[in-house]
């Protein structure tokens, strides 16, 4: 069965650079969530999209932005990277209203040096 | 106070034992709850979800929700070494595409 695909799997960037993470949800899923999990931390909700519109916003820094495209894939853009942005970034998708929970991707590990 | 509290462990039990993992929450608006299992360096995978108070069983896993005391539990029967992982509880609520609020996760070790 198709799963949530995230790319790249690993990314190394220098401070003040920009990074773009991509998420391809399960086919027909209409909702995408982004989470950030720092070392030894629980996942923190960043932002979500439903039918290509932002639906909820968590602890996402102003330096980050995200969008969901017409094919439902989503991109998380991160600018002016800081060392503290080093984390595992998870994307999850769901089909709103089904109550089937969320399916997570394997994550993108971002290392800022 | 975090909205979802969870003992980080580690919790170490012998193979075959019944495991009890617990979370408390403070947000009365939560309408549904989920348990995720996360192996090291992997994304969390959904184990169980529940909407209301009571029990839900799926194979060796039973999720229990007590909304009156804001307490959720996950029981694992006949535990296996492959169950060794971090277990995250999460609560969500309201309409629309809300994000989840996670606990910090409990590190479970099943000793062969």
């Amino acid at each position: 069965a198709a799963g949530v695909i995230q790319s790249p799997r690993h990314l190394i960037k220098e401070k003040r650079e920009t990074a773009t993470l991509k998420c391809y949800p399960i086919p027909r899923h209409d909702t995408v969530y982004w989470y950030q999990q720092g070392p030894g931390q629980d996942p923190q909700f960043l932002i979500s999209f439903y039918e290509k519109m932002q639906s909820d916003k968590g602890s996402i820094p102003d330096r980050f932005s995200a969008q969901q495209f017409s094919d439902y894939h989503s991109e998380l853009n991160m600018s002016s990277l800081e060392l503290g942005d080093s984390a595992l970034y998870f994307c999850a998708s769901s089909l709103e209203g089904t109550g089937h929970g969320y399916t997570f991707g394997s994550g993108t590990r971002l290392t800022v040096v | 106070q975090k909205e979802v509290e969870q003992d980080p462990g580690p919790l170490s039990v012998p193979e075959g034992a019944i495991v009890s993992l617990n979370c408390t929450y403070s947000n009365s608006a939560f309408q549904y709850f989920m348990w995720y299992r996360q192996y090291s360096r992997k994304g969390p995978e959904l184990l169980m979800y529940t909407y209301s108070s009571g029990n839900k069983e799926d194979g060796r896993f039973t999720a229990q929700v007590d909304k009156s005391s804001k307490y959720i539990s996950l029981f694992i029967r006949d535990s296996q070494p492959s169950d060794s992982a971090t277990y995250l509880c999460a609560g969500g609520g309201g309409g629309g595409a809300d994000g989840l609020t996670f606990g910090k996760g409990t590190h479970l070790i099943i000793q062969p």
Side-chain angles (χ1 to χ4, degrees), chain A residues 9 31 33 35 37 40-45 48-50 55-56 88 90 96 98-102 104-106 109, chain B residues 2 32 34 36 38 41-46 49 51 56 88 92 94-105:
Chain A
R9 293 295 302 274
T31 308
Y33 309 79
Y35 293 86
Q37 186 175 19
Q41 306 290 317
D42 52 302
Q44 295 294 319
F45 169 67
S48 62
F49 292 87
Y50 168 64
S55 60
D56 194 10
L88 198 52
F90 290 108
E96 181 57 24
T98 61
H100 287 173
Y102 308 82
F104 281 84
S106 297
R109 183 168 294 282
Chain B
K2 271 184 69 72
Y32 51 86
M34 297 174 182
Y36 289 84
Q38 184 177 15
R41 288 189 283 275
K42 300 288 189 181
E45 59 177 307
L46 178 65
Y49 70 92
Y51 271 112
K56 182 174 181 178
L88 296 150
D98 293 330
L100 294 174
T101 301
F102 285 89
K104 294 189 74 64

Side-chain angles (χ1 to χ4, degrees), chain A residues 2 8 14 33-35 54 59-61 70 72 74 77 82 90 93 96 100 102 110 112-113:
Chain A
E14 294 187 353
Y33 309 79
W34 285 97
Y35 293 86
Q54 180 182 312
S59 52
I60 184 169
S70 58
Y72 293 97
S74 178
N77 299 293
E82 302 173 357
F90 290 108
S93 74
E96 181 57 24
H100 287 173
Y102 308 82
L110 172 67
V112 181
V113 296

Side-chain angles (χ1 to χ4, degrees), chain B residues 48-99:
Chain B
M48 301 281 284
Y49 70 92
T50 51
Y51 271 112
S52 58
S53 286
N55 292 354
K56 182 174 181 178
E57 189 173 319
D58 184 1
R60 297 185 295 112
F61 299 92
T62 299
Q64 191 174 76
V65 176
D66 182 346
K67 284 191 172 182
S68 63
S69 58
K70 296 189 179 66
Y71 196 84
I72 56 177
S73 301
L74 178 70
F75 299 96
I76 307 174
R77 292 183 298 280
D78 187 25
S79 56
Q80 307 292 315
S82 60
D83 295 327
S84 298
T86 295
Y87 290 80
L88 296 150
C89 62
D98 293 330

